[in-house]
Amino acid sequence: MSASLATPHATSPTPPRSAAGAAQPLAPPAERAQVIAGLLGRPASISPKYFYDERGSRLFEAITRLPEYYPTRTEQAVLRRHAQAIAQAVGRGGVVIEPGAGSCDKAQVLCRLLGATHFVGVDISADYLEGSVARLRAALPGLDARAVGGDITTAIELPRDVPQARRLVFYPGSSIGNFDPPAALALLRQMHALAQGQGGGLLIGIDLPKDAAVLQAAYDDAAGVTAQFNRNILTHVNRLIGSDFEPAQWRHEAFFNTVESRIEMHLAACGPQQVRWPGGTRSFAADERIHTENSYKYPLPAFVDLLERAGFTQPQAWTDERDWYALVHARA
Ligand code: AVI
């Protein structure tokens, strides 16, 4: 996911140094205040968007290749398995719009499958996206491919010459699960607005509920990559607000909350900690947690309900043979 959950690609420049040699906080005052408010909360929390500094984005890429982390490869399998049915439901040609497009790897597969005429990648990190879109153009020379900097959680404006008809919003990766249901609904409404026009729709990846042990392993892998990813958020926060978290003093915890149908990730203090930042401090008792992420696993009917509340119609879903993951298409 960057400043938008959907875009794990924001880079984080080296923080400037003060005369005394201490790192200056990088975040603008309003953002800094928000991060601090989260740290002072009871329980403390850090938004998962802060996972994705440069190192966090690389760690996330590594997570997608882990044997335990099934979503990425299962989504690819669903797309391969149902390619023709998906192409038929969506219709060939048209405009593919991908919020949080990042590397555009998935877009390339879909644009090729659909014979899309246009592609618009939207990402908070426009520089990173420009490079990805250039590679996409080279791979699919007939495709009119554009990069637009922006955050899908707020309204975005597409270039005026992007056709209004046949717009397909493509939101793979089950990133919708990182928003709590009201925020997910608001985001789906934004996507619905983006897909307005004749023949518009949405193709979205959803991680379905499954055996808790499978989920647990996917978010607490044996090699400890997810633990590094989780702890890295503290290093990023240190740069953003000038705090002095010691990541090694925090334990990665992940578990499935069956009531909320979500994986929760937390960092638990290995012992009593006092964290300081310019103008403030927070004490943590041993084992006290910072909540860093939720990853909702929607039963298909619950997700269809959300889609319909956002204004989408005629939902159609395709899954893998274990029913672990779904790609869902709906009309705007
Ligand atoms: C980006 N997002 C869909 C991932 C997920 O599965 O919720 C983020 C992640 N967190 C831990 N592992 C992967």
Side-chain angles (χ1 to χ4, degrees):
M1 36 238 86
S2 73
S4 136
L5 284 183
T7 52
H9 302 287
T11 54
S12 112
T14 308
R17 304 232 144 225
S18 70
Q24 296 277 321
L26 184 75
E31 185 177 11
R32 191 169 173 270
Q34 244 177 24
V35 174
I36 291 170
L39 293 178
L40 293 175
R42 308 232 166 219
S45 61
I46 300 173
S47 166
K49 68 185 177 188
Y50 296 118
F51 281 135
Y52 302 100
D53 64 352
E54 205 174 314
R55 177 166 183 259
S57 298
R58 271 190 277 114
L59 286 167
F60 179 69
E61 288 295 320
I63 287 173
T64 64
R65 293 189 293 271
L66 288 170
E68 297 96 328
Y69 192 76
Y70 60 85
T72 310
R73 76 180 65 88
T74 310
E75 182 177 72
Q76 288 162 355
V78 174
L79 189 54
R80 271 198 307 272
R81 187 180 189 212
H82 300 286
Q84 292 318 315
I86 291 170
Q88 208 179 344
V90 173
R92 304 202 186 249
V95 182
V96 172
I97 301 168
E98 186 181 359
S103 68
C104 296
D105 288 348
K106 295 171 183 176
Q108 191 179 137
V109 175
L110 185 70
C111 289
R112 183 171 278 128
L113 172 69
L114 299 177
T117 57
H118 293 72
F119 171 77
V120 185
V122 183
D123 204 302
I124 202 93
S125 175
D127 289 350
Y128 179 90
L129 184 61
E130 288 285 357
S132 308
V133 165
R135 282 192 297 279
L136 182 62
R137 273 192 215 109
L140 298 176
L143 183 72
D144 179 329
R146 324 271 182 96
V148 171
D151 180 355
I152 178 72
T153 59
T154 59
I156 53 160
E157 239 178 81
L158 298 191
R160 284 168 163 271
D161 59 336
V162 172
Q164 185 70 52
R166 313 246 358 256
R167 289 183 172 182
L168 177 77
V169 177
F170 179 44
Y171 199 51
S174 69
S175 297
I176 194 77
N178 295 132
F179 296 82
D180 62 18
L185 179 59
L187 183 55
L188 290 172
R189 287 191 169 131
Q190 293 278 4
M191 293 177 181
H192 186 258
L194 213 53
Q196 279 312 299
Q198 180 253 320
L202 170 72
L203 184 65
I204 188 165
I206 304 298
D207 195 16
L208 304 171
K210 57 188 65 63
D211 192 295
V214 173
L215 287 166
Q216 176 84 33
Y219 291 84
D220 194 5
D221 58 284
V225 181
T226 311
Q228 288 183 58
F229 173 73
N230 198 7
R231 275 194 287 267
N232 181 64
I233 205 169
L234 299 179
T235 313
H236 191 190
V237 164
N238 281 346
R239 285 200 310 276
L240 289 170
I241 67 163
S243 52
D244 63 354
F245 276 106
E246 285 185 47
Q249 297 305 312
W250 295 82
R251 197 170 57 245
H252 168 64
E253 289 187 355
F255 57 85
F256 187 57
N257 177 333
T258 43
V259 175
E260 300 289 346
S261 192
R262 68 187 190 202
I263 280 281
E264 292 186 14
M265 293 211 319
H266 300 261
L267 287 164
C270 293
Q273 320 260 335
Q274 172 120 36
V275 179
R276 295 175 193 81
W277 54 85
T281 181
R282 163 85 200 249
S283 301
F284 293 90
D287 300 323
E288 196 173 347
R289 287 169 171 165
I290 303 175
H291 190 173
T292 52
E293 187 181 55
N294 291 321
S295 190
Y296 284 83
K297 310 302 169 188
Y298 285 100
L300 214 40
F303 191 72
V304 163
D305 180 57
L306 210 58
L307 279 178
E308 288 175 347
R309 285 164 59 202
F312 290 98
T313 61
Q314 301 175 58
Q316 235 185 311
W318 299 271
T319 64
D320 56 298
E321 71 271 5
R322 294 182 290 199
D323 282 337
W324 278 9
Y325 196 94
L327 274 173
V328 183
H329 176 252
R331 300 195 185 280

